[in-house]
Amino acid sequence: VAHSEAGGSALLTAVDADKDQTYFLAAVPQASLRRSLFPLGELRKREVRALAAAAELHTAGKRGTRGPASVLFISGRLSFFLGKRESMGICFVGKRRFRDFIRSYLPPQRPGPLVCVESGRVLGTHQGVSLYTHGQRARVGGLGGRWYVAEKCLETDTLFMCEGAAHPALLTHTLEVGEAAWISGSPPGQLDSRASPSALACSARVRHRAPAIPCSVAATEPPPPPQYTARFATPVNIAVGQTVALYDGCRCLGGAQVIARGPSLHEQGKEAGAAAAARGAASVGPGAPGCLQATVCE
């Protein structure tokens, strides 16, 4: 974080990209940020480990959980610094299956069908749509390959599935986001609805440690509420309810929650194919001798 003499504070990305936490801090209000310090933001993990070893801090891992030993030269002597394995889980869940954890906070779930988004074929049965999220990998009994949740239908308890993590049904160029939390306390000038708003050119992350993707953000019409449309140069895979963090270079501008996804690449492909078929049928003309009438299937 960078504090200015004028009183404002800016949230900057960390030097160590693997340890950058700005995606999670994008909604921190300016008043809280002004009272915050992040002393490790300008250090890489190996430098922090070296400082801990030099200070002889007790950071060695527990039995059976030790990571690889790092050899460090400190104060002219050779030291072996045994680092703990890094925790990648959700600490408050503990040693439980996440499905069992989340089920305790949900109403009773109903089984429903797993349906292939391309063929419409029923692939199997799931144990409740609320136990899954868009883009999540889900095992389909009896089928090989990697299957992912492309869409959920709460009314019919249906999960629409696609095969492959890069399937077009998972990807979209457009997101609708709700009211943003701006680090500075107010939106950038381009998005100020009191003036003549225009699109903000910036970059965005759709998950922690994901690369920042160029995008443009524009206020929806008419305001209020101050909602925004984000258009990405590269298609993204993100679920409704997740956070988009916005950046201007190394400076985090703020974040907002996804309230709707635009059409997927798969949906756009179907629409383009249907339109092309319709144009072909129109060019033939109704009742042309010797020609079959085209039927457009959705």
Side-chain angles (χ1 to χ4, degrees), residues 11-298:
L11 181 63
L12 307 178
T13 55
V15 170
D16 192 335
D18 283 341
K19 300 300 173 186
D20 178 61
Q21 301 294 307
T22 52
Y23 178 80
F24 301 110
L25 298 171
V28 173
Q30 179 67 202
S32 299
L33 200 61
R34 283 199 296 265
R35 299 193 298 270
S36 302
L37 295 173
F38 301 112
L40 304 183
E42 297 182 359
L43 297 173
R44 298 187 181 277
K45 184 62 177 284
R46 62 177 180 271
E47 296 172 314
V48 176
R49 287 187 179 276
L51 290 172
E56 298 183 352
L57 298 180
H58 183 66
T59 55
K62 297 178 181 179
R63 180 179 298 178
T65 63
R66 290 182 176 179
S70 299
V71 181
L72 304 173
F73 287 89
I74 303 171
S75 303
R77 74 181 194 277
L78 180 65
S79 297
F80 287 88
F81 180 67
L82 297 176
K84 292 175 64 176
R85 283 182 179 175
E86 297 183 30
S87 173
M88 297 298 180
I90 306 175
C91 58
F92 56 82
V93 173
K95 294 182 178 180
R96 288 181 287 176
R97 295 179 62 193
F98 182 75
R99 178 176 296 183
D100 296 335
F101 167 78
I102 201 67
R103 196 192 296 269
S104 64
Y105 292 89
L106 295 172
Q109 296 293 297
R110 296 190 301 266
L114 299 168
V115 177
C116 176
V117 73
E118 292 187 5
S119 67
R121 180 168 62 97
V122 176
L123 305 173
T125 304
H126 65 79
Q127 298 305 310
V129 291
S130 296
L131 299 175
Y132 298 85
T133 189
H134 172 91
Q136 177 182 341
R137 185 183 174 191
R139 296 187 182 278
V140 180
L143 291 182
R146 295 172 178 264
W147 290 84
Y148 295 83
V149 178
E151 197 62 61
K152 303 196 304 183
C153 181
L154 299 179
E155 291 76 13
T156 62
D157 293 312
T158 301
L159 290 179
F160 293 95
M161 310 296 294
C162 61
E163 188 174 9
H167 193 283
L170 299 173
L171 304 173
T172 182
H173 279 285
T174 308
L175 298 173
E176 300 293 329
V177 299
E179 184 174 0
W182 301 107
I183 295 294
S184 66
S186 59
Q190 300 97 314
L191 299 177
D192 189 348
S193 59
R194 294 168 298 178
S196 178
S198 60
L200 169 69
C202 59
S203 60
R205 283 194 174 96
V206 297
R207 60 180 51 84
H208 175 49
R209 295 171 70 175
I213 302 171
C215 72
S216 65
V217 178
T220 56
E221 295 292 343
Q227 298 177 353
Y228 304 93
T229 299
R231 303 184 188 279
F232 292 82
T234 303
V236 296
N237 179 1
I238 188 173
V240 170
Q242 291 182 277
T243 295
V244 174
L246 303 175
Y247 297 83
D248 179 9
C250 65
R251 181 170 168 246
C252 181
L253 301 174
Q257 188 178 71
V258 178
I259 58 176
R261 286 167 42 88
S264 70
L265 301 190
H266 176 67
E267 292 170 321
Q268 291 177 327
K270 288 177 59 178
E271 291 174 0
R279 288 195 299 270
S283 66
V284 171
C291 295
L292 295 175
Q293 295 300 302
T295 300
V296 180
C297 299
E298 294 295 336

